Amino acid sequence: MPDAGLKYLIRGLGVALVGLLLPLAALAAGPSPEAIAKAKLANEQCFACHSQEGLAHPPQADLDLAKLRGLLVDKPTFEDADHGKFACTKCHNEGYDDFPHEKDAADNTSTCQDCHAKKADKIQAEFDKSVHAKHLADKFSCTTCHDLHSIKVAKNQDEARKIVAQDNRICLGCHDSDQTFARFAPEKKVRPPIDEIHDWLPNARTHWKAVRCVECHTPLGGDMLSHEILNKDRAERKCVSCHSADTSLKVRLYRHLAKQEQEKLGFMNSVVLSENYVIGATRNLALDSVMIGLVALTLLGVLVHAALRVLMHTLRRRKKDD
Amino acid sequence: MTEEHRHGERRHADRRHPEDGGRIYILPGWVRIWHWCNALLILTLIATGISLHFAGGKAPLIEFSLAVRIHNVAGLLLVVLYIFFVVANAVTGNWWQFVPRPPGILERCLKQTRFYLWGVFKGETEPYPVTREENFNTLQAITYWFMIYLVMPVLVGSGLIFMFPQFAPGEMFGLDGLLPVAVLHYASACIVLAFLIAHVYLCTFGKKISSTFKTMITGWHEH
């Protein structure tokens, strides 16, 4: 019977493993439509107060409206965001059942690590090498940059422009504003004029509408965008990193979009072309062949014509001499 | 052959007798200055344009951000120069040089083509030599008209939109709106480059190989 015991043990372990993996797999795939609908319904209770509508028409008379004004969440933006499919209580999980909420409720809010443990470790290691960690490690957390009520990661976006707008708003929010910069910067540190430090970059403001700051200010590599933000001395300065046939935009801004399509209408990097014409990167190979052919044939024609002229001239002269 | 055609042939035949026995002054100073400025800018724009379009390859090209800056400055100067040329052409009446005069335009084109493809190898002289009134043969006039009044506006206009992309259409056929502008700019630039090659070569068709190049400096054409 020891064989039978072993069989039961293996079967038991198998069931336990499946039981453990199934919820994890479900978590990776995200909540079911039913769970999302349920969360949305539960969130209505929160939005009854924490929305513009709630502020305009408070459901209770004793609300501290001044405090509430700073705690509003835009409902459509939240529902479209990555976290919008979850109940508010998934993160704001203790002390929010009743009103007034418990005084230490905010302290009990879940951290990013609670759900994104594996990712958070990797990000922390990258952040530790980041320019922000050098002077501001104690002032920085995930939420310093990422608004968890609106964030939508690149792979969940369908347009590069939206990714750019969202991500650059984070960087420019501080680096293009003296007021916000001063909140985080070390004492006496003056915000470097962003246009001046980018004056080497042609059409800098146009670039910021088309690509993210992090295309140049993060090292390339890994399966996701690095959180190691590079300062100006280490940031990418080679234009051809993007402006070439082998453009790094394919594995940066267009990494997720690139999977959808690679070549359209004979253009290389056509996924980029669908949103931006990038000199050097979006080239039509057929048009290149025609244009190079036109110039090459003209040159060849001229060379052949010139050679024939010289030859005929020599023959004529020789005949004359004879 | 009609009377009109015969008249045209005779008029052009008359041009073979230069009025001062060896050379005539055909190019005023402003045309020569424009020509050499234009040549310098076009060469600069071609070199930087190639560096931008084929960036990142193995060819030894101008560094990208430097090429952008040079291309932008030279491009703006070309816009100014082009406008000057069109206005000066209109004011002085020089634009007539680019309009082939009837009658017998087709016939003269064919005769000129025959000269380029056959006569020149046999040592024949130009069928329609230069006069003060008509600096160009019919084929040249048509080609120059095409380049100056058709290709150049496309090149300069698309270049300006490229420089100020906010004026480009946002989107076209599901692709970025700058695409048609870029394609027009690229294609017209390649046509200019092909023209440039043929243009420089055809300048060796003067009395001596260097004669036409000298004409572009001194303004005097040697017969």
Side-chain angles (χ1 to χ4, degrees):
Chain A
M1 289 310 278
D3 279 356
L6 190 65
K7 205 185 281 179
Y8 280 118
L9 182 66
I10 292 169
R11 197 176 288 173
L13 280 173
V15 169
L17 196 64
V18 170
L20 195 71
L21 288 179
L22 268 179
L24 281 177
L27 192 69
S32 66
E34 293 78 22
I36 294 173
K38 201 174 160 190
K40 274 188 177 179
L41 198 64
N43 290 349
E44 288 301 330
Q45 263 189 298
C46 307
F47 282 118
C49 295
H50 292 276
S51 62
Q52 282 294 348
E53 177 68 15
L55 186 70
H57 308 287
Q60 279 184 236
D62 56 343
L63 289 178
D64 179 351
L65 296 182
K67 194 176 174 189
L68 180 64
R69 188 167 282 117
L71 298 168
L72 301 183
V73 172
D74 183 60
K75 191 179 158 192
T77 307
F78 175 70
E79 289 184 343
D80 187 46
D82 289 342
H83 292 140
K85 48 187 179 284
F86 297 111
C88 303
T89 50
K90 179 100 180 158
C91 299
H92 305 283
N93 44 20
E94 278 183 47
Y96 290 100
D97 290 340
D98 302 308
F99 185 84
H101 305 320
E102 285 179 24
K103 281 185 181 168
D104 61 347
D107 301 334
N108 296 323
T109 303
S110 296
T111 63
C112 302
Q113 284 88 336
D114 291 343
C115 291
H116 305 282
K118 198 176 163 195
K119 216 184 247 184
D121 287 345
K122 187 176 177 292
I123 289 171
Q124 184 65 49
E126 290 168 352
F127 174 76
D128 289 342
K129 292 185 277 178
S130 168
V131 63
H132 291 134
K134 208 171 174 184
H135 303 294
L136 309 167
D138 55 331
K139 289 186 186 172
F140 257 67
S141 68
C142 304
T143 53
T144 308
C145 299
H146 301 295
D147 177 0
L148 306 182
H149 296 118
S150 66
I151 189 171
K152 203 171 175 184
V153 295
K155 73 170 178 169
N156 293 338
Q157 303 258 24
D158 55 356
E159 281 180 53
R161 277 172 211 273
K162 288 183 187 167
I163 303 171
V164 172
Q166 171 187 268
D167 288 8
N168 284 2
R169 205 180 299 129
I170 297 170
C171 306
L172 295 173
C174 285
H175 290 276
D176 204 17
S177 157
D178 288 326
Q179 207 181 352
T180 323
F181 188 84
R183 272 175 49 204
F184 294 97
E187 212 176 327
K188 291 181 184 168
K189 167 87 176 167
V190 179
R191 182 180 69 87
I194 198 159
D195 290 298
E196 269 179 42
I197 55 175
H198 287 94
D199 65 352
W200 66 274
L201 177 67
N203 307 318
R205 293 259 165 195
T206 310
H207 272 96
W208 300 340
K209 281 183 194 158
V211 285
R212 298 170 297 182
C213 307
V214 287
E215 315 306 350
C216 298
H217 286 275
T218 55
L220 190 57
D223 56 355
M224 63 176 274
L225 191 82
S226 175
H227 278 69
E228 181 188 349
I229 307 297
L230 306 172
N231 69 5
K232 66 180 169 63
D233 301 322
R234 292 176 61 211
E236 182 61 84
R237 273 185 179 244
K238 267 168 64 189
C239 305
V240 289
S241 293
C242 293
H243 289 279
S244 60
D246 191 25
T247 177
S248 66
L249 288 174
K250 276 189 293 188
V251 289
R252 284 184 177 275
L253 178 59
Y254 292 90
R255 177 198 289 269
H256 303 290
L257 300 169
K259 285 176 188 162
Q260 296 165 17
E261 49 110 7
Q262 274 300 330
E263 202 170 286
K264 194 156 81 181
L265 304 175
F267 281 90
M268 56 166 71
N269 303 317
S270 61
V271 64
V272 179
L273 186 62
S274 62
E275 299 212 26
N276 280 299
Y277 178 84
V278 181
I279 297 170
T282 36
R283 280 164 37 198
N284 188 295
L285 301 175
L287 186 65
D288 273 354
S289 302
V290 170
M291 289 300 139
I292 292 170
L294 171 75
V295 173
L297 279 178
T298 309
L299 194 61
L300 185 71
V302 160
L303 290 174
V304 170
H305 198 278
L308 279 174
R309 261 173 81 197
V310 172
L311 178 72
M312 295 304 284
H313 179 77
T314 313
L315 287 176
R316 275 202 314 275
R317 179 170 280 180
R318 203 170 284 171
K319 201 173 174 185
K320 206 173 167 186
D321 291 345
D322 291 343
Chain B
M1 187 183 282
T2 63
E3 180 59 32
E4 210 176 31
H5 274 104
R6 273 196 295 275
H7 172 73
E9 278 292 300
R10 197 162 54 242
R11 184 159 63 83
H12 286 285
D14 287 346
R15 302 195 316 175
R16 296 175 197 192
H17 306 291
E19 51 263 51
D20 75 344
R23 57 184 210 153
I24 49 170
Y25 187 70
I26 56 166
L27 293 172
W30 73 267
V31 172
R32 286 176 279 139
I33 291 170
W34 165 80
H35 175 268
W36 289 113
C37 290
N38 196 52
L40 188 69
L41 289 175
I42 293 282
L43 285 173
T44 307
L45 288 160
I46 285 172
T48 49
I50 288 173
S51 300
L52 296 174
H53 188 78
F54 297 99
K58 285 175 186 163
L61 303 168
I62 301 165
E63 193 275 322
F64 195 91
S65 69
L66 179 67
V68 170
R69 283 170 209 282
I70 298 173
H71 202 81
N72 285 353
V73 173
L76 280 177
L77 289 174
L78 187 73
V79 172
V80 174
L81 195 68
Y82 178 71
I83 293 169
F84 161 77
F85 187 63
V86 170
V87 172
N89 259 345
V91 173
T92 60
N94 190 56
W95 67 280
W96 276 111
Q97 294 288 354
F98 307 103
V99 181
R101 297 176 197 192
I105 292 174
L106 183 64
E107 204 179 326
R108 295 206 303 279
C109 281
L110 290 174
K111 204 167 176 180
Q112 189 68 40
T113 308
R114 184 202 160 276
F115 169 72
Y116 286 142
L117 295 178
W118 183 250
V120 69
F121 300 124
K122 291 178 71 187
E124 290 175 8
T125 52
E126 282 264 6
Y128 302 106
V130 171
T131 67
R132 195 170 286 156
E133 294 72 32
E134 286 180 64
N135 297 174
F136 308 130
N137 66 52
T138 312
L139 265 187
Q140 278 176 320
I142 291 171
T143 310
Y144 289 157
W145 183 90
F146 174 75
M147 293 306 297
I148 289 167
Y149 292 106
L150 217 67
V151 178
M152 281 298 284
V154 172
L155 183 66
V156 163
S158 57
L160 276 173
I161 299 175
F162 234 139
M163 195 174 278
F164 304 101
Q166 60 268 36
F167 295 110
E171 195 187 296
M172 257 187 166
F173 316 115
L175 298 171
D176 188 84
L178 207 53
L179 171 68
V181 178
V183 168
L184 280 177
H185 195 67
Y186 176 44
S188 54
C190 288
I191 292 170
V192 168
L193 176 57
F195 167 80
L196 177 70
I197 295 167
H199 176 67
V200 172
Y201 175 62
L202 286 173
C203 285
T204 63
F205 278 55
K207 189 181 175 187
K208 288 187 229 161
I209 284 182
S210 61
S211 298
T212 311
F213 295 102
K214 276 188 195 161
T215 303
M216 278 320 302
I217 296 168
T218 62
W220 288 89
H221 172 79
E222 289 178 47
H223 287 288

